[in-house]
Amino acid sequence: MILAAVFFLSLSSLMYEVLLTRFFSIAQWNHLSFMVISIVLFGFGAGGSFLRLLEIEKAGRQSYLKSDSVVKVVLLLFGITVWSSFLLVNYFPLDYFLLPVDKKQIIYLFLTFLILTLPFFFTGVVTALAYSFAGQRTGRLYFLAMSGSALGALSAIFLLPLLETGGAILFSGIIPLVLLFLPGRRRLLFTAAALIMACSFFFIYLYHGGALKEVRPSVYKQLSQLLRLPETEVIWSSDSAEGRIDLVESPYLRYAPGLSLKYSGEIPGHRAIIRDGDEMLILSDPDQEELMSFARSTHSYAGYALLGETEKVLIIQRGGGLALPAALAGGAEEITLLTELSGIADLLKEHYVEEQLNIQPGNPRSFLAANHDNYDLIQVENWGSSVPGTASLSEEYLFTVEAFEEYLLHLTGRGLLIISRKLLLPPSDSLRLFSAAFKALRGLKIRNPQAHLLVIRNWDSYSLLVSLSPLEREVIDEFKDFCSTLNFDLVYYPGIRASEANIYNRFEQAFHFSRLERLVSALETFTEKKFFDNYLLDVSPSRDNRPFHNRFSRWLRIDELYQSTGSRFYTLFLSGEVVILMVLFIALTVGAVLLLLPLIRRRICGSGLGPSMTIYFLCSGAGFILIELAFIYRYTLLLGNAVLSFTLVLACMLSFSGLAGLFIKRLDRATLQRLLSLLIFFLLLTLLFSEYIVHLCLGFSLPARIAVGVILIFPVSFLMGFPFPGAMSFLLKKPEAKVYAWAANGVASVIAAVLAVLVAITLGIAQVIITGISAYLVIWLVLLRLPRSDPAG
C-alpha cells in the first residue's frame, strides 16, 4: 500500500508543482519556478523532520504509521490541502511587487509559502516513512517516487488545455484518492470520503461558470485594469503550457506606445489579445481609414521613414500591435509575422487576411537559426511588462548579444533592425540594448559600429535602429525631418550635437543623450568595462549565459541609487528581486528550524546522523537542484518557453535519476565514488559544451530539439540518481537517521533553489553549474574520508 501511495503522491505533487508555475505566471509577474521548487522541497523536508520528532524508532510506532488506515488518512489530507491551498492563495491579495511599500504583503507571502507547502508536507511524510524501513527496497522505492514524479510533470502539460490551470490543480488533488477504494479497515468510510471529494470537484469546476477555479491575475496587470472599464469583456479564452490567452473587447481601448503627441486622430483597435494577464497585443482594423495615418505617427514607423521602400519585412511580435500597421503603412510587399504562441498566431490569422502577410508561430531564435532568408527590415516589438521592474526575473533571449548577431545576419545589405521599448529613468534599458547592438556589430567584424546606430524617443518610449550599412549623412538629414515633424527627440546618431537633444519631450536634463554619449565614447575606446563598473545600474549587455535583460539592480551601489531616486527608499526595491530575498529569508529561517529542532531534542532522540553524513545529504540536495535549475535556464532558449523547459527538465531528470534506483542493490561505496567521479566529468562537459550544443540545435524542429534536450540531460540525470538512494541504502541503517537525511536533503534543496536564481541573474547560468559541481565534489570528499567499516547511521 505505502509503495503505491508514494507513486501516486509523487505523481500528483509534481503535477501540482508544474501547475503552480502556470498559476504564478498568471496571478503574479513571473512563473517563480525557484519559489515553487522551494515550496515543494520544503514540504518534503518538513515531512522528514516531523517523523524524526515522532521518534519512529520506538517499538510499534513505525508499524502503526505505515498501516493502510494511516496512509489513507494522509492521502485524504493531501487532496484536501491541494484544494484548500489553491483556493486560499488564489484569493489572497498577494502581489510581490508591492512588498517594499505594503508591509501586509510580507505576511501574504509568508502565508502563501506555508499554505502551499501543506500538500507536499503530506507527500514528504509518506515518502520519508517509506524510506525509513525500505532496506533493500530503497532502489525500488526511489524508482517509484521518481517515475511517478516524472509522469506527473508530463501529465500537467496535457491536462492544461482540457481543464485550464485551476481545474487541473483541483484534479491533481483527487488522483491519489483512487487508493481509498482498496480493501482494508474502514473501507466504507474512505470510499465515501473519496466520492465526496469527486463530487466536490465537479461542483467547484462547474459552479457559476467555473468562477471558483479561475486564476485571478494581479489587480495591477493590464487584464484586471481593462475589465474595470464599462462594456469590456473577455470574449474568448484558452490555457496551455505556453500561456493563458484572453481575447478582450472594449470600446475604451487606448494603447499606443510611441505615438506622437501631435497626432489628433482616432486611436484604432477595439480588441486585444492578452497573454498571462499582462502582455497586450492590439488588433487593428486594416481597413480603417485612419490606421495608416496613425501608424506613420509612431516611432515604430521610423525604420520605414529611414529606409524608404521595403520588400521583405520580418516582425517578431511580443505584445504591442504597432509593428504590423507600420509595415502596412510602409508599403512592405512581403511581411512575415512571428509570434511565440500558436494560439495567438491563430487569432492573428483570423483577424488579418492581407495577401502579403504570412503569420507563423514559433521560437524566434529557432526560426532565425533555421531560416536563411534575408529581410530589408526586422522589427522586434516587445514593450515589456506594463509595470517596469516586474520582469527582472524573466529570461529574455530576444535582446542578448547573440540574438542581435542573428538579426544582423538576416538583413539585406541595406537592411535595418528596429526595436521599440519603454523609456526608463535612470537610463538603463536603452543603454543595455545599445551596447548589445554595438557588441554584435563588432562581433561581426563591422568597423565603426557607432556609425550604424540611431536612437529616437518621445516622452515615454524609444526606438533603437541598427543599420547593416553605415548611415549616410543625407539619409540622416531626411530622417531628422521625420522626427521634427512628429516631435520625436533625437538621442543618438553619428555626429549628434548636444543642442539637438531634449527639444520636444523635455526632461530637466538630457539624461538619455548624455549617458549614451558617454557609453559610445567608452565603446569606441574599448573602455566599456570601466563604464559598466562605474555606472549606477547594471547595464552591461545581456548574453545567452545571463539573459536577464530587465534586471538592472546593483546592490553594492544602493547608497547612490537611493540618492538618485529622490531619497525615496521604496523605489530601491521596485523589482522582482525583492521576492528572491524574501523567499531566501523564509527558506533560511524555516530550514534552520527543521534541521535544528531534532538536535535540540538530541538527548531524547538525536538526529541519527554524524556531521559528515549531514554534509553529504545537504550537498546532495543542493547539487541536484542547482544542476536542475541550470538546465531549466538553458532549455528555455532551446524550447522557447519557460514552463515547457521546466516540465521537460523535471520529467527527464526525475525519470532518469529514478532509473538509477534499480541498480542500487549492486552498489557499494567504492562504486558510488567512481560514479560520482563520472558524474563530475559529465557535469564539466555540460559546463563547457551545453550552451554551444543548444545554439547548434536551435534551427531544428521542436520534436528534434526536445530529443536533443533529452539526450543531453540523460547521462547527468542518471548519474545524479545514485548519491541519495545509495547512501540511504548502504550507508544508513537506522530509521531515525534516514528520516533526518531526507529532511536535510530537502532543506538544502530549498535554499539552493533560491541561491541558484541569485547566481544566475548576477553571474550567469554557467556559474550555477559550477556551484552544482562544487557540491558534488564535497560529496566525493566526504565519501573519501568516511571510515570503511561501519555504516554512518
Side-chain angles (χ1 to χ4, degrees):
M1 172 68 179
I2 196 167
L3 292 180
V6 168
F7 176 82
F8 279 101
L9 285 172
S10 299
L11 186 153
S12 291
S13 294
L14 264 291
M15 184 184 296
Y16 191 21
E17 179 180 356
V18 172
L19 294 169
L20 279 176
T21 63
R22 286 296 314 131
F23 169 78
F24 283 120
S25 294
I26 300 167
Q28 298 296 315
W29 303 89
N30 184 268
H31 50 79
L32 298 180
S33 57
F34 75 94
M35 190 172 91
V36 172
I37 291 174
S38 297
I39 288 169
V40 174
L41 296 171
F42 167 62
F44 290 170
S49 290
F50 175 74
L51 285 180
R52 185 68 200 97
L53 292 173
L54 288 182
E55 303 175 49
I56 61 171
E57 69 276 8
K58 288 189 174 180
R61 189 162 294 183
Q62 190 182 92
S63 59
Y64 170 73
L65 288 173
K66 68 180 182 180
S67 65
D68 288 359
S69 295
V70 172
V71 172
K72 287 181 178 180
V73 169
V74 175
L75 292 173
L76 191 57
L77 289 172
F78 172 85
I80 292 171
T81 51
V82 166
W83 287 18
S84 58
S85 62
F86 163 65
L87 294 173
L88 281 171
V89 171
N90 193 30
Y91 283 85
F92 265 4
L94 170 68
D95 194 314
Y96 73 74
F97 192 69
L98 295 178
L99 282 167
V101 294
D102 184 358
K103 298 299 192 313
K104 294 192 296 293
Q105 294 297 327
I106 298 175
I107 299 173
Y108 293 144
L109 180 63
F110 186 74
L111 289 175
T112 297
F113 195 92
L114 291 183
I115 289 171
L116 289 176
T117 294
L118 289 174
F120 306 106
F121 166 78
F122 291 115
T123 300
V125 167
V126 172
T127 308
L129 183 63
Y131 272 118
S132 70
F133 66 86
Q136 294 299 312
R137 295 190 299 173
T138 296
R140 182 184 173 194
L141 173 62
Y142 187 72
F143 172 75
L144 286 172
M146 290 302 195
S147 58
S149 298
L151 183 60
L154 290 174
S155 300
I157 298 299
F158 296 103
L159 280 176
L160 271 169
L162 300 175
L163 301 177
E164 300 182 345
T165 300
I169 287 175
L170 295 174
F171 185 74
S172 70
I174 62 174
I175 292 175
L177 303 188
V178 298
L179 297 179
L180 298 186
F181 293 98
L182 295 178
R185 295 179 62 188
R186 302 184 180 89
R187 178 183 180 183
L188 185 60
L189 179 63
F190 287 120
T191 300
L195 291 175
I196 290 171
M197 288 285 288
C199 294
S200 301
F201 168 77
F202 288 105
F203 173 77
I204 295 173
Y205 190 84
L206 299 174
Y207 177 77
H208 209 271
L212 285 176
K213 69 173 178 60
E214 185 175 346
V215 178
R216 297 154 56 92
S218 163
V219 295
Y220 298 98
K221 282 193 165 186
Q222 287 177 323
L223 178 60
S224 299
Q225 294 294 314
L226 271 178
L227 291 177
R228 293 184 175 189
L229 300 174
E231 302 176 52
T232 301
E233 60 177 341
V234 176
I235 60 176
W236 181 85
S237 183
S238 74
D239 205 350
S240 69
E242 294 180 315
R244 171 171 145 181
I245 303 171
D246 294 288
L247 182 60
V248 179
E249 188 171 67
S250 173
Y252 301 103
L253 273 177
R254 299 291 186 271
Y255 186 72
L259 181 64
S260 168
L261 293 177
K262 295 185 72 174
Y263 178 74
S264 58
E266 182 183 348
I267 296 178
H270 298 297
R271 284 190 175 187
I273 302 169
I274 301 180
R275 175 183 178 181
D276 284 341
D278 195 62
E279 186 181 287
M280 185 158 65
L281 171 60
I282 296 293
L283 298 177
S284 301
D285 184 356
D287 299 324
Q288 193 170 340
E289 293 182 5
E290 291 195 0
L291 179 61
M292 298 299 107
S293 173
F294 165 80
R296 294 189 184 100
S297 300
T298 66
H299 58 66
S300 292
Y301 184 77
Y304 302 93
L306 190 68
L307 270 185
E309 293 184 0
T310 54
E311 294 183 9
K312 292 183 67 174
V313 172
L314 173 64
I315 297 171
I316 296 174
Q317 193 78 61
R318 280 283 300 272
L322 303 182
L324 182 54
L328 295 173
E333 298 178 10
E334 183 180 337
I335 305 170
T336 300
L337 190 150
L338 188 66
T339 181
E340 293 179 352
L341 272 62
S342 56
I344 292 179
D346 292 339
L347 290 173
L348 290 172
K349 288 176 183 178
E350 291 179 12
H351 188 80
Y352 296 106
V353 292
E354 280 65 31
E355 293 182 359
Q356 72 268 43
L357 180 59
N358 175 28
I359 299 173
Q360 296 187 35
N363 177 5
R365 294 287 298 274
S366 296
F367 175 86
L368 290 170
N371 185 6
H372 301 293
D373 291 345
N374 293 97
Y375 302 90
D376 296 314
L377 188 143
I378 296 177
Q379 184 156 8
V380 181
E381 187 171 14
N382 180 351
W383 299 96
S385 61
S386 61
V387 182
T390 52
S392 59
L393 302 182
S394 301
E395 303 114 289
E396 183 54 87
Y397 286 100
L398 293 180
F399 298 141
T400 63
V401 173
E402 294 85 350
F404 271 95
E405 290 176 351
E406 283 288 348
Y407 300 146
L408 295 172
L409 289 172
H410 284 79
L411 291 175
T412 59
R414 61 186 288 271
L416 190 71
L417 167 68
I418 176 170
I419 300 176
S420 301
R421 300 279 291 168
K422 291 179 180 175
L423 203 62
L424 302 180
L425 273 176
S428 47
D429 188 278
S430 55
L431 298 182
R432 173 167 282 169
L433 212 60
F434 187 97
S435 59
F438 193 103
K439 290 278 189 181
L441 287 164
R442 180 180 282 171
L444 295 178
K445 311 299 182 185
I446 292 177
R447 298 179 60 187
N448 302 319
Q450 66 274 13
H452 298 251
L453 296 163
L454 192 151
V455 182
I456 64 171
R457 69 170 178 86
N458 67 351
W459 65 278
D460 71 336
S461 55
Y462 74 95
S463 282
L464 167 69
L465 294 90
V466 187
S467 174
L468 197 59
S469 58
L471 295 167
E472 299 176 357
R473 175 60 59 181
E474 296 80 6
V475 173
I476 292 176
D477 289 341
E478 290 181 13
F479 185 72
K480 286 182 184 180
D481 293 336
F482 164 78
C483 293
S484 61
T485 301
L486 295 171
N487 286 3
F488 291 143
D489 282 290
L490 293 160
V491 182
Y492 176 81
Y493 71 82
I496 186 173
R497 299 185 301 274
S499 59
E500 296 178 275
N502 201 36
I503 295 174
Y504 304 110
N505 306 278
R506 294 180 62 85
F507 289 99
E508 183 181 349
Q509 300 176 28
F511 296 111
H512 296 87
F513 163 76
S514 61
R515 303 306 188 274
L516 205 49
E517 185 181 43
R518 286 163 48 195
L519 174 60
V520 171
S521 176
L523 289 166
E524 286 178 332
T525 56
F526 294 91
T527 58
E528 63 268 23
K529 186 179 185 303
K530 182 179 179 181
F531 173 87
F532 294 137
D533 289 344
N534 292 334
Y535 194 67
L536 184 65
L537 298 170
D538 180 2
V539 294
S540 58
S542 56
R543 292 186 174 272
D544 285 349
N545 184 55
R546 194 171 71 109
F548 302 92
H549 173 83
N550 300 292
R551 185 258 177 187
F552 304 106
S553 302
R554 178 170 279 168
W555 297 103
L556 295 179
R557 307 287 297 276
I558 197 166
D559 291 341
E560 296 176 55
L561 186 59
Y562 175 68
Q563 297 295 329
S564 72
T565 53
S567 301
R568 289 170 294 183
F569 184 74
Y570 72 90
T571 59
L572 301 179
F573 300 101
L574 289 182
S575 164
E577 288 173 79
V578 70
V579 75
I580 301 178
L581 300 176
M582 290 303 303
V583 172
L584 180 61
F585 173 76
I586 294 171
L588 289 171
T589 304
V590 181
V593 171
L594 292 180
L595 289 180
L596 296 177
L597 198 56
L599 299 182
I600 293 172
R601 301 182 62 196
R602 187 176 181 85
R603 291 183 180 180
I604 301 175
C605 55
S607 72
L609 281 184
S612 295
M613 290 309 297
T614 301
I615 293 172
Y616 179 102
F617 283 102
L618 288 172
C619 289
S620 173
F624 194 99
I625 292 301
L626 287 164
I627 300 303
E628 181 179 84
L629 279 166
F631 271 108
I632 289 172
Y633 285 133
R634 281 273 189 263
Y635 283 15
T636 300
L637 172 59
L638 183 68
L639 304 180
N641 183 278
V643 174
L644 285 176
S645 169
F646 182 85
T647 305
L648 179 68
V649 171
L650 251 64
C652 289
M653 293 196 75
L654 295 173
S655 57
F656 294 151
S657 61
L659 287 175
L662 300 178
F663 300 90
I664 293 299
K665 286 184 179 180
R666 308 176 188 177
L667 210 60
D668 55 28
R669 191 170 62 179
T671 306
L672 179 58
Q673 196 151 14
R674 286 193 291 270
L675 290 171
L676 274 168
S677 301
L678 191 59
L679 170 60
I680 292 168
F681 171 73
F682 273 105
L683 286 175
L684 288 170
L685 292 180
T686 301
L687 174 66
L688 295 173
F689 299 111
S690 61
E691 186 176 355
Y692 171 77
I693 294 172
V694 167
H695 286 155
L696 193 67
C697 302
L698 272 178
F700 295 0
S701 65
L702 180 59
R705 278 180 278 139
I706 291 174
V708 169
V710 172
I711 293 170
L712 186 62
I713 207 172
F714 171 74
V716 168
S717 302
F718 179 69
L719 291 169
M720 286 200 306
F722 285 100
F724 177 76
M728 292 283 271
S729 178
F730 62 83
L731 290 179
L732 302 181
K733 300 301 179 185
K734 300 175 183 176
E736 63 269 25
K738 291 186 177 184
V739 294
Y740 191 79
W742 171 262
N745 186 82
V747 169
S749 301
V750 171
I751 297 170
V754 186
L755 290 176
V757 183
L758 286 173
V759 172
I761 65 177
T762 54
L763 300 175
I765 300 169
Q767 284 68 24
V768 178
I769 300 175
I770 291 171
T771 311
I773 293 172
S774 302
Y776 281 109
L777 275 172
V778 171
I779 294 176
W780 190 88
L781 291 172
V782 167
L783 279 179
L784 190 66
R785 293 175 62 86
L786 279 179
R788 296 185 177 275
S789 53
D790 298 325

